[in-house]
Amino acid sequence: MPTKNSRSGGFLASSMTLSTAETADPDSFLEERSASSNYRVERVPLEALPDWRIDDCLRHASGRFFAVEGLSVRTDFGPTPQWCQPIIVQPEIGILGIIVKRINGVHHFLMQAKMEPGNSRLVQYAATVQATPSNYQRVHGGRPTPYLEYFQEHTGRRIVFDQLLSEHASWYLYKRNRNMIIEIPENEDIAVADDFTWLTLGQLRHQLEQGNRVNMNARTVLSGVSYAAEDAPDSYGEIRDAFRLQVVESHNAGRSDADVSATMTWLIDQKAKYSLDVRRISLCDMDEWVCGKDSIRHREDRYFRIIGLSVAATSREVGTWWQPMLEPTGGNAVALICQRRSGVLQFLVQAMIQPGLTDRLELAATVQLTPGSYSGPEDFPPLAEYLDAPESWLRLKAVQSEDGGRFSRADTTHVVVNVPDGHTVDAPDNYRWMTLGLLNRLICSGYYVNVEARSLIACLV
């Protein structure tokens, strides 16, 4: 039987390892793999997409892959009580999986350089396997998915992390993927294909700090990594950066069963407090939206639009394809405020209703801002002013891509703000301070932390 252990022993050492003799230079590898293939991404009208048709919804002729439908929403959460919008419906549960192996005692992660048409930087590091059933069952007629068997036949292997987690719930309806980290024995040989390389967590952290080099699907898997109870506290002296030391200590704090139970009760209270009613409707019945031959867009060009893309890539399972994409308005940002409280670094998260969530509400970052959803800065959500925090408070500011397989040029600025001790943060009742240890336990428990917050947490490796 496989073993399962969310306490990923030794990952702290991996996060402190910035180079090894067994790994290529991550920057050079990404550049080399990008240059080794040819890519073309062109926008085309929706009506020009072969095998896609639009009537009540936009769907593929095979009935597979995904569809774009209309959604009617009513809620008492937030400033807008009702609205209509397009939303992506993809009921398939995909696999997002990373193979990990100790090499000379240090955990290395098998990452692939993967092209996705929606990425501003086309080629980024992705999980070992990133595929929906439509992909790995080869509905598209393309090449097989490498390493898929490690995540479908994992008997006897150590399961570090395995959980169904939500995706972008403002753009997807009830979308979820299986996030997995599978550890293979140190003495097990595995052939490394051309687009794949071993990287330590320290190398991945450096890529994340640069921005737009580790894709969203890899980040959500990495958010399942924990440093809790893995190394004796006296080994923390090797960490020279004071904030990183606080991050590791936060992973080891506030994660008891009692802490989880109290948080669950609070979350249930929040779910009971708010209402949410969503109904799938015809695209033609969406108020304020225009469904044209070229695109589906808001009458005032707000929020996002659904466009068509023609794509060619010699490195993908299929060389050419056409698909719809969701293209959001620019300027999106997510931010986590953190502060030492009772001697431990804690992060301020909010209970947020989103129409596409399976259980209506999950924990989100302190600030989750999509400027096109507001009439102006005066209507921005609580604590958005911390996006302009003093430089000395910033611990992270990097632009990261969202799901480049469904979203076009959906870049989001990721910000971590460390406010000084004693600074008062006035937050509404649906906000709560939590340690990274508690947040990690919630991530490993299912639908409790949304993908935007998980993406930020992954940047804190």
Side-chain angles (χ1 to χ4, degrees), residues 410-447:
D411 289 340
T412 301
T413 301
H414 285 48
V415 181
V416 175
V417 180
N418 187 15
V419 301
D421 294 355
H423 176 88
T424 300
V425 180
D426 293 320
D429 292 341
N430 63 309
Y431 288 66
R432 190 177 177 96
W433 292 97
M434 299 186 187
T435 66
L436 288 176
L438 176 56
L439 287 166
N440 179 260
R441 284 205 60 182
L442 293 172
I443 289 170
C444 293
S445 299
Y447 307 124

Side-chain angles (χ1 to χ4, degrees), residues 74-85:
R74 292 178 181 269
T75 182
D76 54 7
F77 179 89
T80 307
Q82 63 183 73
W83 71 90
C84 294
Q85 66 168 88

Side-chain angles (χ1 to χ4, degrees), residues 12 227-228 233 236-237 239 242-255 340 343-345 435-437:
L12 179 58
Y227 306 129
Y236 295 170
I239 303 175
F243 180 72
R244 286 200 64 222
L245 177 58
Q246 293 176 20
V247 165
V248 173
E249 291 173 339
S250 184
H251 267 275
N252 282 277
R255 56 179 294 121
R340 283 182 67 85
V344 178
L345 189 68
T435 66
L436 288 176

Side-chain angles (χ1 to χ4, degrees), residues 6 12 44-45 62 72 75 81 168 177 189 236 270 295 312-313 341 352 355 382 413 436 460-461:
S6 61
L12 179 58
V44 297
S62 68
S72 172
T75 182
H168 294 80
N177 279 320
D189 291 329
Y236 295 170
Q270 296 297 313
S295 65
R341 301 171 68 86
M352 174 182 280
T413 301
L436 288 176
L460 293 168
V461 297

Side-chain angles (χ1 to χ4, degrees), residues 196-363:
F196 293 76
T197 189
W198 293 106
L199 296 179
T200 67
L201 281 172
Q203 291 172 314
L204 285 167
R205 183 184 77 246
H206 181 64
Q207 296 297 302
L208 287 162
E209 289 170 349
Q210 295 181 70
N212 267 341
R213 302 180 75 87
V214 180
N215 77 6
M216 182 279 297
N217 291 297
R219 296 196 304 271
T220 180
V221 179
L222 292 172
S223 73
V225 173
S226 172
Y227 306 129
E230 295 170 11
D231 295 87
D234 56 9
S235 70
Y236 295 170
E238 302 174 26
I239 303 175
R240 303 305 178 193
D241 180 83
F243 180 72
R244 286 200 64 222
L245 177 58
Q246 293 176 20
V247 165
V248 173
E249 291 173 339
S250 184
H251 267 275
N252 282 277
R255 56 179 294 121
S256 69
D257 289 346
D259 293 317
V260 172
S261 178
T263 302
M264 293 292 193
T265 298
W266 179 78
L267 277 169
I268 293 170
D269 287 342
Q270 296 297 313
K271 291 178 182 180
K273 181 178 179 180
Y274 299 105
S275 65
L276 175 67
D277 177 65
V278 296
R279 292 184 299 112
R280 293 156 75 166
I281 61 175
S282 168
L283 290 174
C284 302
D285 292 336
M286 297 186 302
D287 295 337
E288 305 300 324
W289 290 81
V290 178
C291 296
K293 296 180 179 180
D294 180 70
S295 65
I296 302 171
R297 61 177 179 83
H298 190 264
R299 293 186 186 278
E300 298 177 0
D301 283 326
R302 298 175 63 187
Y303 311 112
F304 58 84
R305 61 176 59 194
I306 306 296
I307 63 172
L309 287 187
S310 171
V311 185
T314 56
S315 64
R316 292 292 297 264
E317 296 90 343
V318 176
T320 59
W321 73 93
W322 294 260
Q323 68 172 93
M325 298 281 279
L326 186 151
E327 184 178 67
T329 56
N332 299 337
V334 291
L336 275 171
I337 293 175
C338 60
Q339 184 181 45
R340 283 182 67 85
R341 301 171 68 86
S342 302
V344 178
L345 189 68
Q346 299 189 45
F347 293 77
L348 186 61
V349 293
Q350 61 171 308
M352 174 182 280
I353 292 280
Q354 292 179 279
L357 289 174
T358 299
D359 197 17
R360 81 168 54 186
L361 179 148
E362 293 185 7
L363 294 172

Side-chain angles (χ1 to χ4, degrees), residues 355-382:
L357 289 174
T358 299
D359 197 17
R360 81 168 54 186
L361 179 148
E362 293 185 7
L363 294 172
T366 318
V367 179
Q368 185 171 314
L369 176 65
T370 304
S373 299
Y374 305 92
S375 57
E378 67 279 0
D379 295 325
F380 281 178

